[in-house]
Amino acid sequence: FEGGFTIPPWKALRSDRYKYVRDESKFEELYDLEGDPNELFSIASDPALASVRAAMSARMDEILGLRDVTLRPPAMRDNVPSL
């Protein structure tokens, strides 16, 4: 992209109602998919939703902490040497 603008890599986690997004600098976004289906307004800084943001952040940390080998189907896991 001309001008040197880049978008940092990010990860997202979604529940039935909320979508949580975090980039590599730990910048967080939270969207209410019922009230804002187009994801136009992040509500990550809303104190009333701090527990939702914290729970989704913790779940993302848990998922990202898994080794890739645990996410593979069983047939593929059996052929991977132990780490």
Side-chain angles (χ1 to χ4, degrees):
F1 181 75
E2 291 184 34
F5 178 76
T6 59
I7 297 173
W10 55 274
K11 308 268 190 269
L13 182 67
R14 183 192 157 133
S15 70
D16 288 338
R17 180 159 183 188
Y18 297 102
K19 183 176 188 179
Y20 173 78
V21 180
R22 184 171 66 202
D23 72 19
E24 65 182 11
S25 71
K26 306 289 186 197
F27 179 77
E28 298 174 302
E29 298 175 47
L30 182 67
Y31 298 98
D32 179 347
L33 300 174
E34 288 180 9
D36 180 18
N38 295 317
E39 302 171 25
L40 299 176
F41 305 101
S42 175
I43 53 176
S45 62
D46 185 338
L49 295 168
S51 63
V52 171
R53 184 183 48 75
M56 293 189 83
S57 177
R59 179 66 179 137
M60 181 178 283
D61 289 343
E62 180 182 327
I63 290 169
L64 294 176
L66 297 175
R67 289 190 230 158
D68 288 347
V69 70
T70 64
L71 300 176
R72 296 179 183 165
M76 292 180 71
R77 271 187 254 146
D78 296 340
N79 298 322
V80 177
S82 62
L83 302 174

